[in-house]
Amino acid sequence: MRKYIDIIKGFLLLTLVIFLFAFSSQRNAQLPIQNTHIEFVGEDHLLITKDMVNKLLIQNQQAVECMTKDILDLNVLETKISSHPMIEKAEVYLTVNGEIRVKVAQRTPLARVISEPSFYIDNQGEMMPLSAEYSARVVLVHGNVDAKNIDRIHRLLKHVDQDEFLKLYVTEIIVDEQ
């Protein structure tokens, strides 16, 4: 008889735990998002502002704070933010208390190419548009810069950036046919 009472108690306890888990997870999914917190990773974040990231967070013409947790797709938000030309990487996650946290790593320009149109070359060797917010103090590159020679220019820029002496005194690079 004692064995059956223990089995019934165990079954009831297991049922109670499953019920409480289902209730709390459904209630947690229905909670609205309370706040957004944007954090910039790295040394400076002058090329992009928090307002720009907030605009990227708006999904389907609806503010993120108006959504519930179960509707929000964090992968879509992360992809939207990472697709911005000034952003290298973004992480979007939810906290337990209903706050969206966004960690943004900005791309780092190494040089500014003076051409039509002007652009930056970042530390990965990719072309990056100019920012309306800030003009980075980097090496200026003049001349014939195209997709063929951008890799060679990037290697030169990385070498200049890693050498303390050259970093102080090289301010301009002129590219010619050779």
Side-chain angles (χ1 to χ4, degrees):
M1 185 67 173
R2 179 81 179 149
K3 180 178 168 184
Y4 294 120
I5 292 175
D6 289 341
I7 291 174
I8 291 172
K9 283 181 184 178
F11 180 74
L12 288 175
L13 185 63
L14 181 66
T15 306
L16 179 68
V17 168
I18 290 172
F19 171 75
L20 289 175
F21 177 74
F23 176 75
S24 66
S25 65
Q26 190 216 359
R27 186 166 176 171
N28 186 33
Q30 296 300 322
L31 286 176
I33 295 168
Q34 301 293 326
N35 193 7
T36 57
H37 177 75
I38 299 168
E39 177 184 343
F40 289 98
V41 179
E43 44 199 60
D44 58 351
H45 59 277
L46 302 171
L47 299 176
I48 191 164
T49 62
K50 288 186 178 186
D51 291 335
M52 294 169 117
V53 177
N54 270 332
K55 287 180 185 176
L56 292 170
L57 281 174
I58 295 175
Q59 184 180 23
N60 297 330
Q61 310 303 327
Q62 184 180 10
V64 176
E65 283 89 2
C66 300
M67 296 180 167
T68 56
K69 290 181 183 179
D70 60 343
I71 307 174
L72 189 66
D73 190 357
L74 295 176
N75 288 330
V76 170
L77 287 177
E78 200 167 287
T79 305
K80 269 187 176 182
I81 295 171
S82 295
S83 68
H84 192 278
M86 297 291 175
I87 295 176
E88 184 175 336
K89 181 180 156 191
E91 290 182 26
V92 180
Y93 59 94
L94 277 169
T95 61
V96 177
N97 59 355
E99 181 179 60
I100 289 186
R101 294 208 172 234
V102 182
K103 287 188 178 180
V104 177
Q106 174 183 282
R107 290 171 65 182
T108 308
L110 286 180
R112 180 176 179 163
V113 177
I114 307 298
S115 66
E116 193 54 47
S118 293
F119 59 91
Y120 290 120
I121 298 175
D122 73 349
N123 58 353
Q124 304 294 323
E126 305 280 327
M127 292 192 307
M128 177 178 154
L130 299 181
S131 172
E133 301 297 320
Y134 179 76
S135 181
R137 294 186 157 271
V138 292
V139 175
L140 296 176
V141 178
H142 297 275
N144 186 19
V145 178
D146 55 7
K148 293 184 291 185
N149 61 3
I150 201 165
D151 185 50
R152 292 186 351 203
I153 295 169
H154 175 253
R155 283 184 289 175
L156 176 64
L157 290 169
K158 287 294 269 188
H159 180 70
V160 167
D161 191 50
Q162 291 170 353
D163 188 300
E164 290 301 318
F165 179 76
L166 292 176
K167 192 175 186 177
L168 288 174
Y169 293 105
V170 173
T171 59
E172 244 181 292
I173 296 175
I174 299 174
V175 180
D176 58 11
E177 293 80 29
Q178 300 172 353

